[in-house]
Amino acid sequence: MTTTGRSSVADFSLRRRSFLLGGLGSAAALAALGSAESANAQPAASPAAGFSFDFDNGNFIRDLLAGQDPRGTLDVIAPMDATIVIWSSHLVQTSWFDAIAPYHPTAVGLYSRIPRRPASEAATNRNKNIAALHAMYQVLKGVVPERTTGQNGVPNFRDLLLAIGLNPDDESVDPTSPVGIGNLAGKGVVKSAQQDGMNLLGYEGRKYNPMPFRDYTGYRPVNTAYELTNPSRWQPQLGPHHRRLGPLVTGEGDKGIFVVQTFVTPQLALTKAVTYKDPSQFHLAPPDFSDANNRSAYKRSVDGILSVSAALTDEQKVKAEIFDNKELGLSVAVFNIAKAHDQELGLDGWVHLFFTSVTANFDWSVAAWYQKAKYDAVRPGSAIRHVYANRTVTSWGGPGKGTVSDLPAEEWKSYLNMADHPEYPSGSSGLCSAEAQAARRFFGTDTLDLTIPIPAGWSLVEPGITPAKPLSVHWNTWTEFVKDCAMSRVWGGVHFLKTIERSIDFGQQFGDRGQVIDQVDVRRDRRCY
């Protein structure tokens, strides 16, 4: 551990592919999932001078984990890892909270009960910064260990700790030292993650050859990728193999290889939430608008998607892509408002804000996945093909094609990739709504004031084409932000309008639940110390 006031961090420049991420709502998870290169590569080259971290006055979230380009790690995140991103964010950001709790006058860790330290040890941010960084490292080691070693010169978290003078190999569990406190907090989170229902270790229902994060609930789709036998229910899509990351994420994938979707992590519905025990306690009306037995409502839902798709603007396309990237669509907003309130928050406030936000998002996700499995609702693409069969439709015709009027319904494609899970409710709409409400309750205001500048040709769906000219997207309030976040799923062609409307209302209650964290016994049986 360094003993000087500042430690230089070389080569951790805030650049596009830096491990020092842009956006923090899911930054920790994205850090963990960061690079696609081999985990056996040598650590990054020795850092060059030019960046420093002030342990006493600095803020590890603001100063170390945020980069300039909020889209920085999109090209190294697998396209359908949303549930893993939210779950991992919950683990890492909870480890921050638990690590600094002993230095706070009243906070108590969620997964640890480390004795409180004297107030004098919190006179500066030094101990809290050290504890939180060690806690985060323990979580990364326990959840995605391959992301803690250097890979082809790409900065990683182990290198970051070394660069600022900390020793990542210090496994002390001394509850009187910041390193020990951080390690205890991180280990407590990992212990919980191993038995929380997400199947981190991969042994649920298996004795040999573990398969981490594999479904063990027994879910089976009623439709196949080749035949829609029940047009009200989810149909897995047949598409390119997108296992490899990088540019191929949005390209054609591995040439000649096609795969069938599976419902991603349906076991999330069985995972332990923070503020409640049973996701079935939250009511969500059935998706009657996508019930094929109600032919008129079903067709209206389909026609609504086609109408929007045929009239897509550059701004709508850009917003669809912004919110499809959970780092950019969720994280930047929280980071932005934290920076706006930096002086009043202090390090404790930053950690508590992120903890409150990620708890709202995680608890929403558990409840949402329960509802997705319950209703198993059809996606727009399948519904469009069912309604229009061998006829043609007017719609967006694919990258660079604009609006076409002779598109065979069988060839229709959504602007965004269709997700690997049932349609109802909308995950993104609910996440944005939960996050926004958590922030409103935290600050007592709806003000957001977030601007994201977008250069010409920024799009990953239509690179070099969209937008035709540089533009800036701006949200004055969280209300505006949530509305666009929800509508982006309709613009992207992946959710029906009625779905996003209901998902906003359903998600908001989880932002409210962050206020009861200290009023319920959520810590029982989760102690590691």
Side-chain angles (χ1 to χ4, degrees):
M1 160 188 4
T2 184
T3 56
T4 60
R6 290 179 178 270
S7 298
S8 68
V9 182
D11 202 39
F12 286 89
S13 59
L14 307 183
R15 64 187 189 278
R16 185 172 188 273
R17 297 199 183 192
S18 174
F19 181 84
L20 306 183
L21 310 166
L24 263 295
S26 53
L30 293 169
L33 297 169
S35 177
E37 285 85 6
S38 167
N40 296 321
Q42 293 301 309
S46 178
F51 189 79
S52 63
F53 180 59
D54 183 345
F55 276 88
D56 291 312
N57 302 297
N59 174 331
F60 74 97
I61 306 174
R62 180 195 64 209
D63 303 337
L64 293 180
L65 300 182
Q68 292 177 330
D69 185 345
R71 185 148 136 199
T73 56
L74 178 61
D75 57 355
V76 292
I77 298 299
M80 298 303 172
D81 277 346
T83 58
I84 305 298
V85 168
I86 297 299
W87 175 78
S88 300
S89 298
H90 155 65
L91 298 177
V92 176
Q93 292 172 36
T94 298
S95 80
W96 300 346
F97 179 85
D98 282 20
I100 72 167
Y103 299 105
H104 190 274
T106 60
V108 178
L110 181 62
Y111 297 121
S112 57
R113 294 291 182 88
I114 304 168
R116 202 167 306 284
R117 302 303 303 154
S120 60
E121 294 185 13
T124 71
N125 289 342
R126 171 173 292 273
N127 291 327
K128 289 180 282 190
N129 276 316
I130 293 171
L133 288 167
H134 275 274
M136 182 173 176
Y137 185 63
Q138 289 294 336
V139 173
L140 296 185
K141 284 199 303 179
V143 176
V144 276
E146 66 274 21
R147 299 310 179 215
T148 59
T149 57
Q151 301 174 24
N152 296 337
V154 177
N156 64 84
F157 202 70
R158 178 182 174 80
D159 287 345
L160 171 60
L161 296 186
L162 290 170
I164 60 177
L166 297 179
N167 179 9
D169 298 321
D170 188 339
E171 291 290 328
S172 169
V173 288
D174 177 0
T176 68
S177 74
V179 173
I181 288 172
N183 288 337
L184 284 168
K187 289 175 184 291
V189 171
V190 172
K191 180 180 179 181
S192 175
Q194 292 174 344
Q195 55 195 21
D196 70 356
M198 269 297 273
N199 199 16
L200 166 62
L201 299 180
Y203 282 107
E204 290 288 349
R206 305 176 67 85
K207 184 176 181 180
Y208 302 107
N209 300 316
M211 299 183 72
F213 302 111
R214 186 184 183 185
D215 173 33
Y216 57 87
T217 68
Y219 172 87
R220 295 292 184 273
V222 299
N223 298 304
T224 71
Y226 307 97
E227 185 178 6
L228 186 70
T229 57
N230 186 335
S232 301
R233 303 283 290 276
W234 181 59
Q235 180 185 32
Q237 300 297 299
L238 179 68
H241 192 216
H242 281 156
R243 178 187 59 81
R244 289 189 290 174
L245 307 183
L248 293 180
V249 167
T250 52
E252 60 186 275
D254 296 342
K255 296 182 184 300
I257 305 298
F258 292 84
V259 295
V260 174
Q261 289 180 325
T262 59
F263 187 172
V264 61
T265 61
Q267 71 270 21
L268 178 60
L270 304 179
T271 303
K272 294 178 183 178
V274 176
T275 65
Y276 61 87
K277 291 184 177 180
D278 185 357
S280 68
Q281 73 186 70
F282 304 103
H283 176 70
L284 182 65
D288 50 336
F289 51 86
S290 61
D291 182 348
N293 294 314
N294 187 345
R295 293 185 180 181
S296 58
Y298 192 95
K299 186 174 183 297
R300 281 197 301 272
S301 296
V302 163
D303 288 343
I305 290 292
L306 291 174
S307 176
V308 168
S309 181
L312 284 176
T313 66
D314 276 10
E315 183 174 349
Q316 289 171 343
K317 292 176 180 179
V318 163
K319 287 180 177 178
E321 293 192 49
I322 286 174
F323 288 108
D324 199 45
N325 173 0
K326 297 304 178 284
E327 181 188 4
L328 181 53
L330 292 173
S331 316
V332 171
V334 176
F335 186 77
N336 184 75
I337 199 167
K339 285 188 68 176
H341 293 267
D342 187 32
Q343 294 301 313
E344 65 190 81
L345 285 178
L347 178 57
D348 286 40
W350 274 74
V351 170
H352 291 178
L353 170 63
F354 279 101
F355 175 64
T356 300
S357 176
V358 82
T359 298
N361 281 342
F362 176 68
D363 280 8
W364 147 263
S365 298
V366 173
W369 252 244
Y370 170 83
Q371 300 291 347
K372 282 181 178 290
K374 175 181 178 180
Y375 291 119
D376 197 39
V378 66
R379 286 275 178 177
S382 299
I384 288 171
R385 289 187 287 271
H386 172 69
V387 169
Y388 285 97
N390 297 321
R391 288 177 285 171
T392 59
V393 298
T394 298
S395 176
W396 175 71
K401 300 293 185 181
T403 300
V404 299
S405 58
D406 61 345
L407 179 67
E410 283 294 322
E411 297 180 19
W412 185 86
K413 179 177 173 56
S414 52
Y415 184 81
L416 298 175
N417 287 334
M418 206 69 72
D420 296 51
H421 44 82
E423 190 266 348
Y424 187 75
S426 163
S428 294
S429 303
L431 287 169
C432 286
S433 183
E435 175 180 274
Q437 185 65 3
R440 292 188 193 105
R441 294 292 297 266
F442 196 92
F443 291 107
T445 178
D446 191 41
T447 300
L448 176 58
D449 190 23
L450 172 63
T451 299
I452 300 179
I454 304 295
W458 172 88
S459 168
L460 289 177
V461 177
E462 298 182 318
I465 299 173
T466 301
K469 299 183 296 184
L471 59 84
S472 290
V473 292
H474 177 76
W475 299 278
N476 284 310
T477 64
W478 282 106
T479 299
E480 294 174 359
F481 180 84
V482 171
K483 181 180 178 181
D484 274 358
C485 174
M487 280 302 302
S488 76
R489 310 311 284 171
V490 180
W491 297 329
V494 296
H495 282 293
F496 297 112
L497 181 61
K498 286 289 186 181
T499 292
I500 65 156
E501 291 172 351
R502 294 183 186 179
S503 299
I504 290 173
D505 293 337
F506 189 65
Q508 183 169 312
Q509 63 188 312
F510 295 91
D512 289 324
R513 295 190 67 81
Q515 307 304 309
V516 303
I517 289 176
D518 291 329
Q519 302 171 24
V520 296
D521 185 9
V522 298
R523 304 177 181 90
R524 183 168 45 239
D525 299 328
R526 295 182 175 183
R527 300 174 63 173
C528 76
Y529 175 79

